[in-house]
Amino acid sequence: MKLHHNVLSQDLLDDIYKELDYKTKEQCWFNNWYDWPKHLREGYPGVTLQNYLCDENHDRMISQIQHLFPKVHYTSVTSQFYMWMRGSGIPRHEDPCYSFTATLYLNNWDPNFGGWFIWRDEESAKTGIHKAVYPTANSLMISDRFEDHWVTQVTPNAPDPRVTIQLWGKHENTGNIPRE
């Protein structure tokens, strides 16, 4: 896992926030209860809302962050808004069917409201001490080693959703559904 800060220009962030604001008022969202396999929903009663970015913002975002992508083979990158509502999270999993995955955090997050990103790397396997970060706006976490990772449950009293853009670098031969 690699964490990068201040990855998008303020101009692009403003346009992404405008798109998100517009889409939050529309009935255009799908959710993890119908899109994720059962093992990625177990233990988390909340809903994660999902929607694709518009092509223009997607393309601009990729052009600003692709230099941070791992040097692995991929033929396309998919991106989706995720709104992690109260009670949502995702259990421990890997993403071996993708060349890489990434999470772009869109809001600053109070760590008291759950929603921590936790992962287990080689050092963690030896020591039993896992690594964790809580979201800070305009930060990008990239995974290219297929390490176990998960998001802790967003607490029932969180004042707002935890908002991210999920990215999946795919090779043309991996016809899988995007997952964090």
Side-chain angles (χ1 to χ4, degrees), residues 104-171:
L104 176 66
Y105 300 106
L106 292 180
N107 54 346
N108 288 314
W109 191 252
D110 184 332
N112 292 315
F113 295 122
W116 286 73
F117 179 82
I118 300 176
W119 73 99
R120 185 185 121 157
D121 59 15
E122 290 177 12
E123 181 182 342
S124 302
K126 293 174 188 170
T127 66
I129 300 170
H130 293 70
K131 304 207 169 140
V133 297
Y134 61 90
T136 54
N138 202 19
S139 293
L140 181 71
M141 178 64 81
I142 299 176
S143 171
D144 65 343
R145 296 188 183 213
F146 315 114
E147 297 164 330
D148 281 346
H149 60 281
W150 59 98
V151 174
T152 64
Q153 186 176 38
V154 175
T155 64
N157 61 334
D160 297 299
R162 175 186 184 269
V163 185
T164 64
I165 295 175
Q166 301 303 132
L167 300 107
W168 301 272
K170 297 183 282 187
H171 185 272

Side-chain angles (χ1 to χ4, degrees), residues 2-3 22 24 32 35-36 39 51 61 63 76 80 96 105 108 110 113 129-130 144 147 157 163 170 174 178-179:
K2 293 186 176 104
L3 182 62
Y22 171 78
T24 57
N32 63 313
D35 189 51
W36 293 1
H39 74 277
N51 197 323
M61 177 183 64
S63 72
S76 66
Q80 292 180 353
Y105 300 106
N108 288 314
D110 184 332
F113 295 122
I129 300 170
H130 293 70
D144 65 343
E147 297 164 330
N157 61 334
V163 185
K170 297 183 282 187
T174 58
R179 305 281 182 260

Side-chain angles (χ1 to χ4, degrees), residues 5-179:
H5 297 281
N6 301 314
V7 295
L8 298 181
S9 68
Q10 190 60 53
D11 180 57
L12 177 54
L13 275 173
D14 291 344
D15 288 344
I16 287 172
Y17 292 138
K18 285 177 194 169
E19 179 183 357
L20 180 62
D21 184 56
Y22 171 78
K23 287 183 174 177
T24 57
K25 296 174 177 83
E26 298 295 313
Q27 293 184 3
C28 58
W29 296 85
F30 49 104
N31 70 69
N32 63 313
W33 281 94
Y34 298 102
D35 189 51
W36 293 1
K38 185 178 179 183
H39 74 277
L40 292 180
R41 299 187 317 261
E42 289 179 342
Y44 294 88
V47 171
T48 301
L49 301 177
Q50 302 160 227
N51 197 323
Y52 291 96
L53 271 71
C54 72
D55 289 342
E56 180 181 351
N57 282 341
H58 169 84
D59 293 344
R60 289 174 61 203
M61 177 183 64
I62 297 304
S63 72
Q64 289 188 20
I65 63 175
Q66 66 186 354
H67 69 281
L68 301 171
F69 293 168
K71 306 300 182 227
V72 294
H73 183 71
Y74 62 94
T75 54
S76 66
V77 177
T78 300
S79 63
Q80 292 180 353
F81 287 114
Y82 269 39
M83 291 184 35
W84 302 78
M85 309 307 282
R86 294 173 180 160
S88 67
I90 190 168
R92 189 174 68 180
H93 66 285
E94 295 180 0
D95 295 307
C97 55
Y98 302 105
S99 298
F100 71 92
T101 61
T103 300
L104 176 66
Y105 300 106
L106 292 180
N107 54 346
N108 288 314
W109 191 252
D110 184 332
N112 292 315
F113 295 122
W116 286 73
F117 179 82
I118 300 176
W119 73 99
R120 185 185 121 157
D121 59 15
E122 290 177 12
E123 181 182 342
S124 302
K126 293 174 188 170
T127 66
I129 300 170
H130 293 70
K131 304 207 169 140
V133 297
Y134 61 90
T136 54
N138 202 19
S139 293
L140 181 71
M141 178 64 81
I142 299 176
S143 171
D144 65 343
R145 296 188 183 213
F146 315 114
E147 297 164 330
D148 281 346
H149 60 281
W150 59 98
V151 174
T152 64
Q153 186 176 38
V154 175
T155 64
N157 61 334
D160 297 299
R162 175 186 184 269
V163 185
T164 64
I165 295 175
Q166 301 303 132
L167 300 107
W168 301 272
K170 297 183 282 187
H171 185 272
E172 61 194 15
N173 295 328
T174 58
N176 204 353
I177 298 170
R179 305 281 182 260

